[in-house]
Amino acid sequence: FINHPLNKAFWIGMYAVVAFALITWRFVLPVARSLRHNLVVEKVIEEGPGVVSVIMHGRNLDRLEAEGGQFFSWRFFTRGHILVSHPYSLSAAPTKNYLRITIKNLGDHSADIINMKRGTRVFFEGPYGAFTAGRATQPHAVLIGGGVGITPLRALMDELKGAVNMDVLFRASREEDLVLREELDYLAKSSNGTIRVHYLVGPRKYHPMDAASLRKLIPRIMDADIYMCGPTPLIESVKKAAADLGVPKNRVHAEAFEFHSV
């Protein structure tokens, strides 16, 4: 029965359908969408040691309906990048004509992003992810970022400002690793006290992400929505702290990245 001609035709047809769907959804539609929005690299900015921001210009980008906190898979039409898809989060809320991502050099394809030329065409898939401002249910949000994990939180700040009070905790090993610090300080200064940024610099033992430490920094953290992004150890520590503090799971929103140790 297995070798029956009709059975073979069925399986060949199934493989063809799967191949067609894969090519259509992974290549044809993303390429068509990218060409329609005409997304190209506008500028590459060095933000700190091994960290760069890529600002991209396009048209009608608001039709993507992307939100701060979400990510795209990016393909840059330049040597060493066109065949590789890079998943990077937005590091500022999207506008009609601009998108921005901020990338840390992890020693792989990310190392030569800084050398990318203006006008490089960008192909993308997305947006993806539910790490968005719409999940907030409380008038107070606590955003906790580790290292370059601050970048999607920076975009979330754009979405949340004016709607909730925010405490932003930025964990980094060194002062020079506090990327986007000027932007964070500006948002805090211009918020009339509704945004407070706490810089936690130094070894992990000086800034444990446990219940007692977090409650000392943010006395009413148990009444807030908690957004966190960074290395897995930081995420797991904050999740445990939130549970110990009695924060309901539906108010704990996490995006774990495997960055270098912070």
Side-chain angles (χ1 to χ4, degrees):
F1 176 76
I2 294 176
N3 294 319
H4 192 282
L6 291 179
N7 193 41
K8 287 184 177 180
F10 170 79
W11 284 108
I12 291 173
M14 289 298 293
Y15 287 132
V17 169
V18 171
F20 175 79
L22 181 64
I23 292 170
T24 299
W25 288 98
R26 293 300 305 274
F27 296 99
V28 176
L29 291 180
V31 168
R33 203 176 181 206
S34 299
L35 292 174
R36 182 167 66 248
H37 291 286
N38 194 32
L39 195 64
V40 297
V41 173
E42 175 80 10
K43 187 184 298 184
V44 179
I45 301 171
E46 187 171 10
E47 302 285 6
V51 179
V52 298
S53 286
V54 181
I55 300 172
M56 294 164 281
H57 179 269
R59 58 180 176 232
N60 301 321
L61 299 178
D62 51 328
R63 294 183 183 178
L64 296 173
E65 298 184 349
E67 300 178 55
Q70 291 187 306
F71 69 94
F72 289 77
S73 289
W74 311 92
R75 293 177 189 269
F76 302 107
F77 201 81
T78 187
R79 184 177 179 180
H81 293 275
I82 187 60
L83 298 179
V84 183
S85 179
H86 317 292
Y88 297 127
S89 297
L90 298 173
S91 61
T95 69
K96 183 177 181 179
N97 297 113
Y98 290 96
L99 299 175
R100 187 182 75 175
I101 55 178
T102 302
I103 303 164
K104 182 172 183 177
N105 177 2
L106 298 178
D108 52 8
H109 52 263
S110 57
D112 65 345
I113 291 286
I114 192 170
N115 299 315
M116 208 157 43
K117 304 298 184 184
R118 180 179 183 183
T120 299
R121 185 168 291 279
V122 184
F123 297 98
F124 60 87
E125 297 175 57
Y128 300 120
F131 192 68
T132 60
R135 300 183 68 184
T137 61
Q138 304 300 305
H140 182 201
V142 176
L143 282 56
I144 304 174
V148 78
I150 196 66
T151 58
L153 299 178
R154 162 65 186 86
L156 271 174
M157 291 173 71
D158 285 334
E159 306 280 7
L160 289 167
K161 67 182 180 184
V164 302
N165 289 309
M166 279 181 272
D167 280 282
V168 182
L169 277 60
F170 190 172
R171 208 3 233 116
S173 297
R174 306 170 301 171
E175 290 282 341
E176 54 265 40
D177 294 327
L178 296 173
V179 296
L180 307 179
R181 181 171 186 167
E182 289 185 7
E183 295 181 22
L184 300 178
D185 289 342
Y186 173 78
L187 286 169
K189 186 176 180 179
S190 61
S191 72
N192 294 320
T194 60
I195 299 175
R196 296 162 294 277
V197 181
H198 312 260
Y199 297 109
L200 310 178
V201 182
R204 292 176 181 173
K205 63 181 180 180
Y206 294 163
H207 305 288
M209 295 289 104
D210 56 23
S213 298
L214 291 178
R215 189 169 184 177
K216 183 177 180 180
L217 283 168
I218 318 292
R220 300 303 304 173
I221 190 172
M222 66 286 296
D223 297 325
D225 278 284
I226 300 176
Y227 289 85
M228 55 186 129
C229 184
T232 299
L234 179 143
I235 297 298
E236 295 304 319
S237 295
V238 176
K239 281 185 176 179
K240 183 180 184 304
D244 292 342
L245 291 166
V247 181
K249 288 185 178 181
N250 69 314
R251 289 203 267 114
V252 179
H253 319 293
E255 189 88 342
F257 293 159
E258 288 297 338
F259 302 128
H260 289 317
S261 297
V262 176

